[in-house]
């Protein structure tokens, strides 16, 4: 039976940012989901770690825990745990996790990384999302969109 | 009257590949009848009179949820529908395409008390999404859905912004300008995520079984919905593949 390091996400308080979702899952909900998922793939939680903003932004703490973990894989409740302070997903950290663990799972996003191919497919999507998010929030992009909208309106 | 996607925000288009659509419809009928434990007969009749299999709205909804799961597990509907309507979708979303992971299935039996409430997808979805609304039966009058075209969707937003508590006034705009779509089997309604749309109680004597699914360009701005959870990549161009491969190596070094 494979052993997993579980990562629960400490969602910030207040309404969940995605419309249609009433509340963020509690740590207890998340642990339950991790256990159900692992039971179905013949794995078990070795230990779980609650990841909050402090741990992910300091990173060295998280990396140390990961390096010293004796588990075969890592299972996140959500990829949100890999989001950096600048709102982008930390692709380098995902790369390091892939080097350390055979298996990476993220329940909420139905992400399963068990091969190089799967890793590259997910990593590519994250890169695109990061690029788009960065572009969408930039002043230059806002100006460009405004200019384009005005020129379409006057055509 | 023919509508244009650019001007009205919606368009009713013919399938490029009718035989593939007919096959998809048969697959959906077969899955439905397997779930219900019934013996199928003629596809069009089976689907139009699907309501005869249910005694309550709750049972019909339970069936819909099971059918949604079955379709998403057994049919690659995102790919199929894209191919079936490719000549209409490609000019809208380009060559690098994301598709909604799980299509929504809607079942509206006659007099079903829960029609789709008036809403628009964007925001929270990205305003760069197109919705394919695909009926598996001929849809007309109350058996169909309604949309407010781009102009009146904008008017409705403006009215709501200046009169946030006047639901009556808002409903008047809706009643006056909402158009019930006539979408025969073999065609689909493509509409922009910024349009108000919904449905009313089906007063015809046939059921409506339809599917809706969203497409967007991989690089177009994101909405509030988590793109990793909501969408999957349908296809990428050779140029994008090279760029992604380049960035992957660069960013992981």
């Amino acid at each position: 039976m494979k052993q997993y390091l579980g990562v629960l996400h400490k969602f910030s308080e207040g309404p969940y940012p995605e419309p249609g979702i009433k509340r963020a899952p509690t740590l207890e909900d998340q642990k339950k989901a991790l256990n159900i998922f692992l039971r179905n793939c013949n794995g078990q939680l070795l230990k779980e770690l609650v990841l909050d903003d402090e741990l992910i932004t300091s990173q060295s703490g998280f990396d140390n825990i990961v390096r010293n973990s004796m588990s075969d894989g890592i299972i996140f409740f959500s990829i949100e745990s890999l989001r950096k302070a600048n709102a982008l997903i930390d692709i380098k950290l995902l790369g390091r996790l892939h080097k350390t663990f055979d298996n990476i799972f993220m329940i909420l996003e139905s992400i399963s990384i068990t091969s190089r191919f799967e890793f590259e497919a997910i990593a590519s999507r994250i890169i695109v999302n990061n690029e788009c998010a960065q572009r969408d929030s930039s002043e230059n992009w806002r100006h460009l969109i405004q200019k384009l909208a005005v020129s379409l309106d006057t055509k | 009257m023919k509508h244009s996607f650019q001007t009205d925000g919606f368009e009713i288009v013919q399938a490029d590949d009718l035989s593939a659509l007919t096959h998809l419809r048969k697959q959906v009928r077969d899955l439905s009848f397997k779930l219900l434990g019934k013996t199928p007969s003629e596809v069009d009749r089976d689907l139009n009179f699907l309501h005869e299999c249910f005694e309550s709205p709750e049972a019909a909804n339970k069936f819909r949820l099971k059918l949604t799961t079955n379709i998403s597990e057994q049919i690659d509907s995102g790919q199929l529908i894209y191919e079936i309507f490719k000549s209409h979708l490609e000019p809208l979303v380009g060559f690098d395409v994301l598709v909604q992971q799980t299509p929504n299935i809607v079942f509206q039996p006659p007099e079903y008390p829960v029609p789709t409430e008036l809403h628009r997808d964007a925001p929270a979805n990205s305003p760069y999404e197109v919705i394919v609304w695909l009926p598996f039966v001929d849809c007309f009058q109350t058996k169909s859905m309604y949309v407010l075209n781009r102009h009146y969707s904008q008017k409705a937003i403006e009215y709501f912004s200046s009169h946030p508590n006047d639901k009556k006034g808002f409903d008047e705009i809706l009643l006056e300008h909402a158009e019930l779509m006539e979408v025969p089997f073999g065609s689909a309604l493509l509409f922009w995520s910024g349009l108000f749309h919904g449905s009313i109680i089906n007063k015809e004597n046939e059921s409506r079984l339809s599917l809706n699914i969203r497409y967007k360009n991989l690089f177009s701005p994101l909405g509030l919905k988590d793109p990793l959870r909501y969408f999957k990549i349908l296809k990428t161009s050779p140029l994008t593949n090279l760029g992604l491969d380049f960035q992957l190596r660069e960013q992981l070094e």
Side-chain angles (χ1 to χ4, degrees):
Chain A
M1 192 177 267
K2 285 194 171 176
Q3 310 283 317
Y4 285 84
L5 172 64
V7 182
L8 311 180
H9 188 75
K10 199 172 170 187
F11 286 96
S12 51
E13 289 183 12
Y16 194 77
E18 195 176 321
I21 300 177
K22 281 184 191 147
R23 63 168 179 87
T26 62
L27 296 177
E28 205 174 306
D29 293 337
Q30 296 180 39
K31 192 176 171 186
K32 208 182 279 179
L34 260 54
N35 278 317
I36 292 171
F37 182 90
L38 289 178
R39 206 170 334 151
N40 291 336
C41 60
N42 201 28
Q44 67 178 40
L45 271 185
L46 185 67
K47 69 170 178 180
E48 76 263 7
L49 179 69
V50 177
L51 206 57
D52 57 17
D53 290 346
E54 257 171 55
L55 195 52
I56 196 71
T57 46
S58 74
Q59 285 224 352
S60 58
F62 183 62
D63 272 325
N64 277 337
I65 295 167
V66 165
R67 206 172 306 120
N68 297 326
S69 166
M70 301 296 286
S71 52
D72 306 292
I74 186 163
I75 178 165
F76 290 82
F77 177 74
S78 168
I79 201 169
E80 283 303 309
S81 296
L82 297 184
R83 203 177 284 284
K84 295 187 287 185
N86 62 3
L88 305 182
I89 299 287
D90 191 336
I91 191 74
K92 283 195 193 309
L93 176 55
L94 184 65
R96 292 200 296 279
L97 291 174
H98 178 61
K99 280 186 184 149
T100 311
F101 296 111
D102 296 339
N103 300 327
I104 304 172
F105 296 122
M106 291 163 188
I107 293 189
L108 200 57
E109 294 81 14
S110 305
I111 290 174
S112 158
I113 302 175
T114 58
S115 66
R116 179 80 197 163
F117 175 78
E118 284 172 343
F119 169 71
E120 289 192 357
I122 297 298
S124 299
R125 282 216 55 197
I126 293 169
I127 288 172
V128 174
N129 286 349
N130 280 348
E131 293 282 332
C132 289
Q134 220 164 2
R135 178 202 62 197
D136 297 352
S137 60
S138 74
E139 275 303 308
N140 286 347
W141 176 252
R142 253 196 293 274
H143 285 314
L144 178 70
I145 291 296
Q146 272 166 6
K147 263 168 68 180
L148 267 174
V150 169
S151 72
L152 283 173
D153 215 30
T154 50
K155 261 184 188 173
Chain B
M1 190 176 108
K2 189 157 167 50
H3 296 95
S4 111
F5 196 88
Q6 172 80 63
T7 312
D8 301 299
F10 70 91
E11 196 171 357
I12 295 162
V13 299
Q14 296 289 318
D16 297 326
D17 187 345
L18 186 58
S19 68
L21 178 56
T22 305
H23 180 67
L24 172 63
R25 171 163 87 155
K26 185 178 174 302
Q27 281 181 293
V28 170
R29 189 281 310 266
D30 290 350
L31 280 176
S32 303
F33 272 59
K34 198 173 165 195
L35 274 175
L36 295 166
K38 302 266 180 195
T39 312
S41 62
E42 198 265 313
V43 180
D44 197 50
R45 200 231 162 257
D46 284 347
L47 294 178
N48 268 313
F49 293 91
L50 201 53
H51 55 274
E52 291 175 351
C53 301
F54 304 97
E55 285 177 358
S56 67
E58 292 76 24
N61 191 44
K62 222 168 156 185
F63 157 78
R64 181 188 68 84
L65 294 172
K66 276 189 193 159
L67 183 63
T68 303
T69 308
N70 274 252
I71 288 176
S72 76
E73 285 173 357
Q74 297 181 41
I75 302 175
D76 189 357
S77 45
Q79 175 80 49
L80 277 172
I81 292 166
Y82 187 83
E83 292 300 330
I84 291 168
F85 293 98
K86 192 173 178 179
S87 73
H88 308 285
L89 287 170
E90 205 165 72
L92 300 177
V93 293
F95 295 96
D96 300 305
V97 184
L98 289 179
V99 59
Q100 187 180 330
Q101 300 242 26
T102 307
N104 304 315
I105 303 296
V106 179
F107 178 41
Q108 290 285 341
E111 302 294 342
Y112 186 70
V114 195
T116 307
E117 274 183 27
L118 169 77
H119 69 285
R120 54 184 179 145
D121 288 14
N125 287 46
S126 164
Y128 295 84
E129 286 174 21
V130 56
I131 299 118
V132 177
W133 188 82
L134 177 66
F136 294 114
V137 286
D138 292 339
C139 281
F140 51 87
Q141 297 294 328
T142 60
K143 188 184 170 188
S144 189
M145 63 171 280
Y146 61 81
V147 297
L148 239 66
N149 71 17
R150 198 176 146 211
H151 174 74
Y152 288 113
S153 282
Q154 186 56 37
K155 286 268 172 229
I157 294 162
E158 285 163 11
Y159 189 85
F160 183 72
S161 304
S162 53
H163 307 80
N165 298 317
D166 183 9
K167 190 180 176 306
K168 198 168 163 250
F170 186 81
D171 284 348
E172 274 166 19
I173 297 181
L174 178 70
L175 275 174
E176 197 176 342
H177 302 292
E179 294 177 63
L180 281 164
M181 301 286 105
E182 192 167 329
V183 190
F185 174 72
S187 49
L189 167 69
L190 309 188
F191 67 100
W192 171 56
S193 53
L195 295 192
F196 279 107
H197 61 281
S199 65
I200 50 178
I201 290 178
N202 179 2
K203 294 285 179 192
E204 316 311 317
N205 61 4
E206 296 170 341
S207 286
R208 185 236 295 175
L209 186 70
S210 60
L211 175 155
N212 61 76
I213 191 162
R214 285 142 189 82
Y215 295 88
K216 77 184 279 284
N217 185 279
L218 176 64
F219 298 103
S220 68
L222 309 166
L224 288 175
K225 289 200 169 164
D226 178 358
L228 283 170
R229 214 168 67 231
Y230 195 65
F231 287 105
K232 62 180 180 185
I233 290 183
L234 181 73
K235 62 178 196 139
T236 45
S237 73
L239 178 58
T240 295
N241 293 341
L242 294 188
L244 284 176
D245 189 60
F246 177 84
Q247 282 202 301
L248 190 66
R249 264 143 250 301
E250 200 182 48
Q251 294 199 16
L252 289 174
E253 252 174 30

